[in-house]
Amino acid sequence: MSDQPSQAVQDYLKAIHGLGGADRVVSPADIAVDMEVKAPSVTGMLKRLAEAGWIEYTPGTGAKLTPAGLAEARRVIRRHRLLELFLTKVLGLDWSEVDAEAEALEHAVSPRLEQAIAAHLGEPLEDPHGHPIPTATGELRQRELQRLSEFRAGDCVVIREAQDDNPERLRRWRDLGLTPGTTVHIVGYEPLDDLFDVEVAGRLIKLGSEGLAGLRGEVVSTARG
């Protein structure tokens, strides 16, 4: 097994991890959709990853990360999320811009530079979008979060994470104040129109499930029995 896997290998391991491949088998079809590549090229790559010891792969079923694959995936995720935080906090980039920039930079960051960035930022726990940053030894904090569209009237919810792959949506959430750490109150829900009344910092806004898609949080309190 190579000590320095290629960019393609790193991208696949990160994608498999993102789809839950640390704990369960992920289908090639899901990987193809996530990476926006054709199914035959996924199958070929999964075979190579299995031969190199990064994944356990069963043709027709899917892939799961081995301990080595899990460690490498989390190294890449750590670099990516540290870079996102560095780009926002130190260089002042908007949170809607940094996912693509970090994607381009993550493969070029050496362990020494990664360590320096982490130290400069004070060994941070989360990236700008609220996602936990793996530790230097590969631990990743797990949280039980729900999509905001799963909460109902009366729930007081703190936003913990914002999906970071849609810059336009991130800018919209920022303008509305729907950012990690913010507490919102679900005032009402109209199932027929699929519209939520959400109170944010004293302002009432109306959003559908699609407008909330990608925001995840947890209940602080509820008015329901």
Side-chain angles (χ1 to χ4, degrees):
M1 189 184 300
S2 169
D3 290 331
Q4 293 184 314
S6 68
Q7 180 172 332
V9 168
Q10 291 179 352
D11 286 342
Y12 265 85
L13 295 178
K14 188 169 76 164
I16 293 167
H17 187 286
L19 292 165
D23 305 305
R24 62 180 178 86
V25 173
V26 178
S27 77
D30 287 345
I31 297 168
V33 170
D34 186 74
M35 299 195 68
E36 299 180 350
V37 295
K38 292 181 179 173
S41 59
V42 170
T43 303
M45 188 62 172
L46 293 181
K47 287 176 183 172
R48 290 196 290 277
L49 291 173
E51 287 166 5
W54 297 117
I55 63 169
E56 297 169 4
Y57 173 56
T58 308
T61 305
K64 183 181 176 187
L65 296 168
T66 62
L70 177 62
E72 183 57 36
R74 288 190 176 167
R75 272 195 289 271
V76 181
I77 293 165
R78 174 174 166 81
R79 287 196 293 267
H80 182 95
R81 293 179 179 174
L82 283 171
L83 282 164
E84 286 189 333
L85 195 59
F86 183 83
L87 291 168
T88 52
K89 287 192 77 171
V90 179
L91 300 187
L93 270 64
D94 188 78
W95 79 327
S96 66
E97 305 174 276
V98 294
D99 181 57
E101 297 292 348
E103 196 74 38
L105 291 169
E106 66 192 33
H107 305 289
V109 172
S110 68
R112 184 170 174 231
L113 181 55
E114 174 196 314
Q115 191 177 357
I117 291 171
H120 181 80
L121 295 170
E123 290 294 341
L125 299 176
E126 295 179 359
D127 74 8
H129 310 103
H131 299 119
I133 297 174
T135 67
T137 51
E139 283 84 35
L140 182 60
R141 189 160 43 99
Q142 302 296 326
R143 296 185 293 202
E144 293 297 323
L145 302 178
Q146 289 178 263
R147 294 191 296 270
L148 251 64
S149 58
E150 293 175 342
F151 296 104
R152 288 296 179 262
D155 288 339
C156 212
V157 180
V158 61
I159 298 170
R160 292 297 185 201
E161 294 180 1
Q163 197 170 319
D164 60 5
D165 58 356
N166 187 320
E168 189 177 345
R169 196 166 57 178
L170 283 165
R171 286 191 290 271
R172 169 90 168 135
W173 286 336
R174 183 201 59 215
D175 292 344
L176 293 172
L178 297 171
T179 53
T182 300
T183 300
V184 300
H185 181 213
I186 311 295
V187 178
Y189 175 65
E190 301 160 23
L192 201 60
D193 300 317
D194 184 33
L195 270 181
F196 289 83
D197 290 318
V198 183
E199 187 181 337
V200 190
R203 182 166 58 136
L204 196 64
I205 56 176
K206 284 185 180 289
L207 285 168
S209 294
E210 189 57 38
L212 295 173
L215 291 172
R216 291 159 62 81
E218 57 191 352
V219 166
V220 179
S221 64
T222 181
R224 294 177 296 170

